[in-house]
Amino acid sequence: MKHFLQLRDLDRGEFEHLFSRTRIIKDRFKNYIAYQPLADRMLAMVFEKSSTRTRVSFEAGIHQLGGSSIVLNTGETQLGRGEPIEDVARVISRMVDIVMIRTFEHSIIERFAAQSRVPVVNGLTNDYHPCQVLADLYTYLEHRGSFAGATVAWIGDGNNMCNTWIQAAEIFDFKLNVCTPGAYGVQGARAAGVDRRHLEIFSRPAQAVAGAHLVTTDVWTSMGFEAEAGARLEAFDGFTVDAALMRLARPEALFMHCLPAHRGEEVTTDVLESAQSVVWDEAENRLHVQKALMEYLLLGKIDT
Ligand code: CP
Ligand code: NVA
């Protein structure tokens, strides 16, 4: 049994399988061809934070694959009244076939997974957002075909998305240029041991985007950090991805953002709505890659 708690839980060969299955599953969906290998399977989704894309893509995805889902919002469950996560894991995983969790500290999902009888998928923690980067990687491949020789620029907060992109750079062997305000940088432990071919830290956004094939950013204040929002607005001054910054990247550079976006903060409206922006493809691809992921975690490498 496998969990997907962070990107590096799977290897390159497994990702290549997932991407090839995503192509098939997406093609069937677009052609209205029913594909229901997960009939009678049940997905439980535990949300300790808000969500639009994650909830809709997992819920639609499991239904399209023939299965069903249950949504558990913390406040409406015994988790919200202090039931230990280990007990919740032991109970839920006796009743359903796969669990997705969105929570705060990454240790919470690790504790859940340690007690779970069924695969656990990370729908976002403070440290990682692997389903989103899975969709982003697939989107890049759809548009550009390969990561060979690619440079990706991450501008903004050294957050869960940034941490996950660092793992992606190592797995897919591309270069990640990261530029964050000093106090909001990548934690030393995450950068330690990552080869300079895969991760380089810059102090100015213009340096980080120079020659990039993809520019990506995210909100300056992630869920759970709302108390810091005022201080962050000041600290991130100068880190907005605008048209002038995009012009320093390669002319054909793509722009990505996991959404929701705060127009006028981390990205300007014109960049978000530009021809270079593939944010809506990224959002849609959450559905397709997660269907391939659930199929793989429940059925293994199939080729039907
Ligand atoms: N990108 C993403 O995970 O969006 P939601 O917070 O809406 O799920
Ligand atoms: N970094 C953001 C991503 C939201 C999908 C957050 O954690 O709030």
Side-chain angles (χ1 to χ4, degrees), residues 70-101:
I70 301 174
V71 174
L72 300 161
N73 294 309
T74 308
E76 299 154 10
T77 71
Q78 299 291 6
L79 258 180
R81 299 179 63 249
E83 185 170 14
I85 194 83
E86 289 82 0
D87 293 1
V88 175
R90 283 182 282 193
V91 171
I92 294 181
S93 71
R94 284 174 181 239
M95 298 179 182
V96 305
D97 302 284
I98 183 165
V99 179
M100 186 237 78
I101 307 182

Side-chain angles (χ1 to χ4, degrees), residues 50-55 102 123-124 129 132 223 258-260 286:
S50 308
S51 169
T52 298
R53 278 144 289 268
T54 302
R55 163 133 190 216
R102 167 168 285 197
L124 181 148
H129 196 3
Q132 181 66 54
M223 291 180 280
C258 66
L259 305 176
R286 290 289 300 275

Side-chain angles (χ1 to χ4, degrees), residues 49 102 124 129 159-161 218-219 221-223 258-260:
K49 293 175 176 175
R102 167 168 285 197
L124 181 148
H129 196 3
N159 64 11
N160 43 11
M161 283 294 298
D218 187 11
V219 291
T221 302
S222 284
M223 291 180 280
C258 66
L259 305 176

